[in-house]
Amino acid sequence: MKLRNMGLFLYAAGFVVCCGMILHCAAESKVHYFEFYLTESNFTRLCSTKTMLTVNGSFPGPVIRVRKGDTIYVNVHNQGSYGVTMHWHGVKNPRNPWSDGPEYVTQCPIPPGTNFTQEVIFSTEEGTVWWHAHSDWTRVSVHGAIVALPALGTTYPFPQPDAEEIIVLASWYKHDVMEMMKKTLDSGIGLANVSDAYTINGQPGDLYPCSKETTYRLMVDYGKTYLLRIVNAALNQDLFFMISEHHVTVVGGDGSYFKPLTTPYILLSPGQTMDVLVTADKPLGEYYIVATPYFDGEADIYDHSTATAILEYRGNYNHSLTPSFPYHMPNYNDTAVASLFTSQIRSLATPEHPVDVPLDVTTRMYFVISMNMLPCQNDSCAGPDGYRMAAALNNKTFKNPQVDILQAYYWNLSGIYESDFPDQPLHYFNFTALDLMSENVTISDPGARVKVLNYNETVEIVFQGTNIMNSAETHPIHLHGYKFYVVGRGHGIFDNETDPKNFNLYDPPELNTIPNPKDGWTAIRFKASNPGMYFLHIIIFIVFICSLIIHANMDGFALGVWFMHCHLDKHMSWGMDTAFIVKSGGTAETSMKGPPAYMPPCNLGSFLGSKDSMLLRED
């Protein structure tokens, strides 16, 4: 009896200690509130003035700063002229897809003249992520950085920098991007207008007309080390980034930490972020920072220009001298250099920042990435042979439904989507061959199709690039709600017998966006759990015990709906997308939260209207 009582006492004591730990962690986490006003603002670049949609009148938009474990509420006021949504790129937002933001996947657009408050929960993210509009092509000017600092009591896994700076890379168009999109999608033509410039923190730089006086300058002191948080917000373009005569050390990206990698250049695909250290250890002077395009495709066109900023040392020297320029930049199509950089990124894999690569895979999928065509009535479109351009995964072109998938699933609405997205392509062929132009490979199948996963399934996806319609190029694939481990990557066609033997299961990078190489493949793994706060392992234990004492309120029945798509916005619009519905784990903490009191209505569409905005609908 004494032993039994002692056991109960120790059990109760342990319960109290764990509760105390939970309360301590909760006390350290903070809640922040932000007001985002979407308005049309005037900006002058490249000798001309245009009006474009921005947040709080700035380009790029405001920076959000939090600590790991914090929660923010962002009240998005749409004062523009068309429906818009907002996405928190790289934030898992556990159990809360209602605030994830992709239009017609987790919500319908916020109508003009209304507002929508989104709850964004930071859990495992540490480093730089970002936010952006996620409807039509509004992302071009509606975006900004998010800094997720280490939790209180912890620090960086690298020496504390003397200062830090946000660097946002973006595209600039002289013309109205939304009108350009409307023309491109209405006609079905495959070539959208390319940008007129790239920008660094909103400025094109010295190499463009009427831009020299406003070039962005990064001021530094000799001997100090700076943490640069770099975001590639360009609409459709991979970008090399480098600083003349300075090497940078990559220490993280996509809200995760990496093994330090010292390099003269980095490469970012649209959607990616990187954290790099640079030490101001060169002779006092001015040095160009450049962002220049990387493009390995053949069937598309792109902006060949180069954006510049200036790293300027403080001190006494001749400031009238021309800044040093990095004349050894990689060539725009240097696939070897691009592949080398990507292959060198590794996770820290330390006790403080461990990796948890799924080893026992329960679901294997093989996604074939392709450009395709869809028929138009009377061959009336401007694409090849009177068809319209499309894009696909496993020959399935995603088509926006009338009601977003999340609400349709939650309220059990039929006829909105189909849960039959295939794990494999319908048939196999030489995916990288030349002249893949026959209708049996070029014509895709449109629809709103999703893949259903059980809670805690361990998933492996192999993305396979193709040369269908002679349009092979790099595709940056982004998964909402999760980070994944990149366990393998290669050129050519994936061999499921030999290639897995070379998978990196020790220290693969953990990312949310990965560039799949031209005519190549990438293998990723993740667990379909979308976990809660970073102290979730304690919380689950506490919730389990508490559920024996009090009744847990399960306010949802699925873990969430999470979008996956190419982060080249033109390809996303053409249907290179799908979504995952992840089922509930059977407890309150493994089930989706209930919907907020208000969700934007689905009777109003985005810029193109409630019917026309749903790409690839019948005329």
Side-chain angles (χ1 to χ4, degrees):
M1 179 66 70
K2 289 183 178 180
L3 287 176
R4 182 172 179 270
N5 289 339
M6 179 61 71
L8 289 172
F9 172 77
L10 293 175
Y11 185 86
F15 179 81
V16 171
V17 169
C18 288
C19 283
M21 294 174 68
I22 289 292
L23 293 173
H24 176 70
C25 291
E28 289 186 342
S29 300
K30 293 184 178 180
V31 177
H32 310 267
Y33 298 88
F34 298 90
E35 300 289 335
F36 274 17
Y37 291 90
L38 283 159
T39 59
E40 297 285 346
S41 306
N42 292 328
F43 290 84
T44 301
R45 302 285 188 275
L46 310 183
C47 315
S48 63
T49 299
K50 64 174 290 186
T51 300
M52 64 185 190
L53 194 67
T54 61
V55 168
N56 298 351
S58 64
F59 173 72
V63 176
I64 291 177
R65 294 182 182 274
V66 298
R67 286 194 178 274
K68 184 178 180 180
D70 287 355
T71 296
I72 66 174
Y73 289 89
V74 185
N75 191 2
V76 181
H77 304 262
N78 185 5
Q79 298 177 351
S81 56
Y82 41 84
V84 181
T85 66
M86 201 69 69
H87 169 55
W88 317 96
H89 185 117
V91 183
K92 291 181 179 179
N93 219 3
R95 303 177 53 236
N96 190 29
W98 303 102
S99 289
D100 191 48
E103 67 174 352
Y104 299 111
V105 178
T106 63
Q107 70 173 85
C108 291
I110 305 168
T114 69
N115 63 296
F116 176 49
T117 298
Q118 294 175 257
E119 177 192 33
V120 186
I121 304 165
F122 292 84
S123 52
T124 64
E125 299 81 21
E126 192 169 336
T128 307
V129 288
W130 63 303
W131 58 266
H132 61 79
H134 210 300
S135 47
D136 299 324
W137 295 357
T138 49
R139 177 173 75 81
V140 67
S141 57
V142 180
H143 57 250
I146 301 174
V147 176
L149 296 170
L152 287 173
T154 65
T155 188
Y156 301 122
F158 48 82
Q160 180 74 28
D162 296 291
E164 67 174 53
E165 192 74 16
I166 303 292
I167 303 289
V168 178
L169 313 178
S171 307
W172 183 266
Y173 294 79
K174 288 184 177 180
H175 37 274
D176 187 311
V177 173
M178 300 302 286
E179 289 292 343
M180 177 187 77
M181 181 201 71
K182 185 179 188 304
K183 177 181 178 181
T184 301
L185 298 186
D186 281 353
S187 67
I189 194 170
L191 299 177
N193 289 355
V194 299
S195 59
D196 296 289
Y198 304 111
T199 59
I200 299 176
N201 284 356
Q203 298 297 336
D206 290 4
L207 303 184
Y208 296 96
C210 304
S211 302
K212 188 177 181 64
E213 298 302 319
T214 57
T215 296
Y216 171 74
R217 290 177 177 265
L218 172 59
M219 305 300 297
V220 299
D221 293 310
Y222 181 83
K224 291 187 176 181
T225 297
Y226 297 82
L227 173 60
L228 306 184
R229 301 180 178 275
I230 307 171
V231 178
N232 184 0
L235 202 61
N236 295 304
Q237 192 61 59
D238 297 71
L239 293 167
F240 286 114
F241 175 92
M242 61 189 308
I243 305 172
S244 181
E245 300 186 38
H246 293 71
H247 279 55
V248 300
T249 300
V250 181
V251 293
D254 281 11
S256 299
Y257 291 120
F258 301 152
K259 285 183 170 65
L261 172 65
T262 301
T263 173
Y265 67 93
I266 65 173
L267 176 63
L268 301 96
S269 287
Q272 286 189 304
T273 69
M274 284 193 186
D275 298 329
V276 306
L277 298 173
V278 58
T279 299
D281 57 0
K282 300 304 177 187
L284 299 185
E286 297 180 2
Y287 300 82
Y288 272 122
I289 303 169
V290 300
T292 190
Y294 168 68
F295 182 74
D296 56 7
E298 298 176 4
D300 211 341
I301 55 177
Y302 71 100
D303 179 356
H304 288 67
S305 63
T306 296
T308 61
I310 295 174
L311 184 144
E312 179 179 348
Y313 282 75
R314 297 184 180 92
N316 296 320
Y317 58 91
N318 187 354
H319 287 265
S320 65
L321 296 176
T322 301
S324 169
F325 194 86
Y327 289 103
H328 299 291
M329 294 185 298
N331 291 329
Y332 75 90
N333 60 351
D334 195 332
T335 56
V337 166
S339 295
L340 175 63
F341 174 76
T342 303
S343 66
Q344 294 180 95
I345 301 297
R346 294 284 188 272
S347 286
L348 272 181
T350 63
E352 297 79 13
H353 300 280
V355 300
D356 186 21
V357 184
L359 301 179
D360 183 18
V361 176
T362 59
T363 300
R364 283 187 165 85
M365 291 179 275
Y366 187 61
F367 285 1
V368 172
I369 302 170
S370 62
M371 301 303 299
N372 297 87
M373 296 186 296
L374 284 173
C376 291
Q377 188 175 8
N378 299 321
D379 296 334
S380 58
C381 291
D385 299 323
Y387 287 15
R388 68 162 61 247
M389 285 297 300
L393 297 172
N394 282 350
N395 207 47
K396 303 299 181 182
T397 292
F398 188 83
K399 180 175 67 174
N400 286 338
Q402 297 182 27
V403 176
D404 65 88
I405 293 171
L406 177 58
Q407 291 192 78
Y409 180 78
Y410 189 83
W411 299 111
N412 196 27
L413 305 178
S414 61
I416 304 301
Y417 65 89
E418 300 293 334
S419 56
D420 60 351
F421 187 87
D423 289 351
Q424 308 285 332
L426 299 182
H427 63 281
Y428 286 78
F429 52 93
N430 184 353
F431 298 124
T432 62
L434 299 177
D435 298 323
L436 294 173
M437 297 296 291
S438 60
E439 286 197 358
N440 66 327
V441 298
T442 60
I443 305 301
S444 60
D445 180 19
R449 293 183 174 86
V450 304
K451 169 69 179 178
V452 178
L453 297 172
N454 290 318
Y455 176 75
N456 257 355
E457 276 197 69
T458 50
V459 181
E460 178 182 287
I461 303 176
V462 175
F463 300 102
Q464 175 65 61
T466 71
N467 193 39
I468 293 174
M469 299 179 63
N470 297 325
S471 59
E473 64 178 290
T474 294
H475 295 279
I477 304 298
H478 172 50
L479 176 60
H480 291 221
Y482 295 89
K483 288 191 284 188
F484 49 76
Y485 291 102
V486 183
V487 297
R489 194 169 184 268
H491 294 279
I493 299 177
F494 176 73
D495 188 317
N496 61 5
E497 294 291 334
T498 60
D499 286 326
K501 296 177 181 178
N502 297 314
F503 279 179
N504 175 13
L505 304 179
Y506 173 68
D507 61 353
E510 191 177 16
L511 306 172
N512 61 63
T513 307
I514 183 65
N516 190 73
K518 173 184 178 180
D519 282 336
W521 58 271
T522 303
I524 68 170
R525 289 185 182 181
F526 66 96
K527 181 178 287 188
S529 59
N530 187 249
M533 306 303 289
Y534 63 95
F535 44 89
L536 180 65
H537 55 288
I538 303 174
I539 289 180
I540 290 177
F541 173 74
I542 295 299
V543 168
F544 174 73
I545 299 300
C546 291
S547 67
L548 301 178
I549 304 171
I550 61 174
H551 294 289
N553 176 26
M554 291 182 61
D555 53 359
F557 57 90
L559 196 57
V561 176
W562 306 103
F563 199 33
M564 187 181 74
H565 61 94
C566 178
H567 220 279
L568 303 180
D569 276 26
K570 57 186 178 182
H571 293 171
M572 180 180 69
S573 296
W574 291 338
M576 195 178 285
D577 329 307
T578 188
F580 294 98
I581 294 177
V582 182
K583 291 184 177 180
S584 165
T587 68
E589 285 303 316
T590 60
S591 297
M592 180 174 66
K593 298 175 66 172
Y598 167 81
M599 289 290 291
C602 291
N603 59 346
L604 292 174
S606 54
F607 174 73
L608 297 176
S610 59
K611 293 183 178 180
D612 294 335
S613 67
M614 289 168 258
L615 176 65
L616 308 177
R617 285 188 175 280
E618 294 294 333
D619 293 337

